Amino acid sequence: QAKASGRQSIRFFDPTMQEAVSTRLQLEEDIRRGLQGVEFIPYLQPQLNAAGQLTGAEVLARWQHPERGLLAPGYFIEVAEQAELIEQIDLQMLRQASAQLAVWQGAPATASLCLAVNLSARLLYQPDFIETLLQFLSESGADPRFLKLELTETMLLDDMSAAIACMRELREQGIRFSIDDFGTGYSSLAYLQKLPLDQLKIDQSFVRELPENDGSAAIIRAICALAGSLQLEVIAEGVETEQQHATLLQLGCEHFQGYLFGRPMPLAEFEQLLVTRGVAKEQGSVSCLIAD
Ligand code: C2E
Ligand code: MG
Ligand code: MG
Ligand code: MG
């Protein structure tokens, strides 16, 4: 039949393509199975202030696969997104992050730590998302002000007014928002004024070019100035070298994340780092809230 319907349909029987489809479906099934257990676990990557103290961590999902071992998002995020399973992974991260915040808040030494969780686009537009998230927080007893949600520009632009409504409601409860990969979208800056934001996260593509690239340095300086005048915190991600760190400090950046300070790591390892590095006494924006 392939012959009869012409040349085009031959591609349909391409064995490598067929293989790709079945691998994808297998992966999808495998993710579904993994979501039934506790295979998706949060790894924590340290975030530091200018004094070098820990302010918290970004939660990065890892898949502790029973046969394949530990898998990074590059392996599963794309398929999880297409199969609409990413939302469930996000919710599992949010539930675990809430529980961890509650534990830390129980001890004065760790009470100021924040966790930043990545959010996929669709979750933000899901009608019961707000209720679910607030339930995670109240069930665990975590103070919402120490939870930050990382969003990307492109996902917000899908339906800006719905995004704003959802963000406002969560922010009223104290949850904070960061724009991830900032500077890589092609949108206008007007949205910065409309969104209830707390932080801009400078994309690692700019940081990687430091210190040699004057263009990247200029962009980072501009982002820091912009953040300053909009009263937003700014954090640089992908900091790998001392030179990059020093340059970022000079350019006005006050928060840092990157391999230089630690790779994404299991909770136990992060808690050891808390001891050696020291925890910041207070978070910039949280201490403002407390002072209010
Ligand atoms: P992202 O949110 O922009 O996270 C930063 C990525 O850069 C992470 O990759 C992190 O491990 C990596 N990274 C951190 N420091 C450095 C550095 O100094 N140098 C370099 N070269 N890389 C660094 P990872 O963990 O593989 O995650 C990739 C992406 O997957 C994340 O990008 C995020 O968009 C997505 N992701 C991860 N976990 C989740 C999740 O729970 N939910 C959702 N929706 N997305 C997630
Ligand atoms: Mg992120
Ligand atoms: Mg990023
Ligand atoms: Mg990214």
Side-chain angles (χ1 to χ4, degrees):
Q1 291 110 337
K3 234 185 231 162
S5 52
R7 264 188 92 120
Q8 283 297 87
S9 40
I10 291 170
R11 279 205 288 151
F12 187 76
F13 297 99
D14 181 337
T16 55
M17 198 172 146
Q18 190 76 303
E19 206 181 322
V21 169
S22 71
T23 311
R24 177 167 286 265
L25 287 175
Q26 275 165 18
L27 180 54
E28 187 180 320
E29 273 321 298
D30 209 14
I31 295 171
R32 276 183 215 285
R33 186 198 45 74
L35 281 164
Q36 300 309 307
V38 278
E39 295 184 16
F40 291 91
I41 51 169
Y43 262 43
L44 304 180
Q45 187 176 31
Q47 298 186 331
L48 297 92
N49 62 18
Q53 300 161 317
L54 286 162
T55 57
E58 177 176 6
V59 172
L60 292 156
R62 293 292 181 267
W63 187 3
Q64 186 64 68
H65 195 282
E67 285 132 36
R68 293 169 203 264
L70 191 73
L71 303 170
Y75 183 86
F76 59 84
I77 286 272
E78 202 194 313
V79 171
E81 266 165 9
Q82 282 167 4
E84 304 196 9
L85 295 169
I86 187 69
E87 293 91 330
Q88 293 179 52
I89 297 176
D90 287 353
L91 288 172
Q92 292 196 358
M93 293 306 112
L94 285 166
R95 182 151 38 88
Q96 296 182 69
S98 302
Q100 190 52 51
L101 283 174
V103 171
W104 284 338
Q105 286 162 11
T110 51
S112 65
L113 289 168
C114 281
L115 283 175
V117 178
N118 293 283
L119 218 63
S120 64
R122 276 188 303 260
L123 199 53
L124 193 66
Y125 302 111
Q126 216 164 276
D128 54 358
F129 171 61
I130 296 177
E131 200 187 314
T132 307
L133 175 54
L134 294 179
Q135 205 174 321
F136 289 160
L137 288 159
S138 61
E139 274 170 5
S140 60
D143 183 337
R145 292 174 304 171
F146 299 84
L147 179 65
K148 196 178 287 158
L149 302 181
E150 292 193 4
L151 311 169
T152 58
E153 245 175 280
T154 35
M155 68 181 269
L156 290 169
L157 296 173
D158 287 347
D159 186 349
M160 181 71 83
S161 59
I164 293 173
C166 177
M167 290 168 74
R168 282 225 180 101
E169 209 169 324
L170 290 172
R171 205 153 174 272
E172 266 164 37
Q173 303 297 317
I175 292 169
R176 296 187 286 151
F177 288 93
S178 178
I179 298 289
D180 204 351
D181 306 338
F182 187 74
T184 57
Y186 293 94
S187 55
S188 88
L189 292 173
Y191 78 92
L192 286 180
Q193 246 183 318
K194 299 187 191 134
L195 294 171
L197 293 175
D198 301 277
Q199 186 187 64
L200 300 180
K201 193 165 198 184
I202 301 173
D203 190 64
Q204 38 186 301
S205 59
F206 302 112
V207 176
R208 197 181 302 133
E209 303 287 314
L210 295 179
E212 297 86 7
N213 191 321
D214 294 340
S216 292
I219 289 170
I220 291 171
R221 194 194 303 278
I223 294 175
C224 293
L226 179 69
S229 28
L230 291 170
Q231 293 184 301
L232 301 174
E233 187 181 281
V234 60
I235 183 165
E237 70 175 328
V239 186
E240 292 183 355
T241 68
E242 291 289 359
Q243 266 188 317
Q244 288 170 347
H245 182 216
T247 310
L248 283 161
L249 274 166
Q250 277 171 12
L251 294 171
C253 184
E254 291 181 323
H255 292 86
F256 309 91
Q257 181 183 340
Y259 293 167
L260 177 64
F261 310 105
R263 295 193 171 239
M265 58 185 84
L267 172 68
E269 217 174 292
F270 182 75
E271 291 195 315
Q272 283 183 310
L273 199 66
L274 294 177
V275 180
T276 52
R277 273 268 176 195
V279 177
K281 275 264 149 45
E282 49 197 25
Q283 298 288 331
S285 29
V286 170
S287 60
C288 294
L289 285 170
I290 290 166
D292 276 351

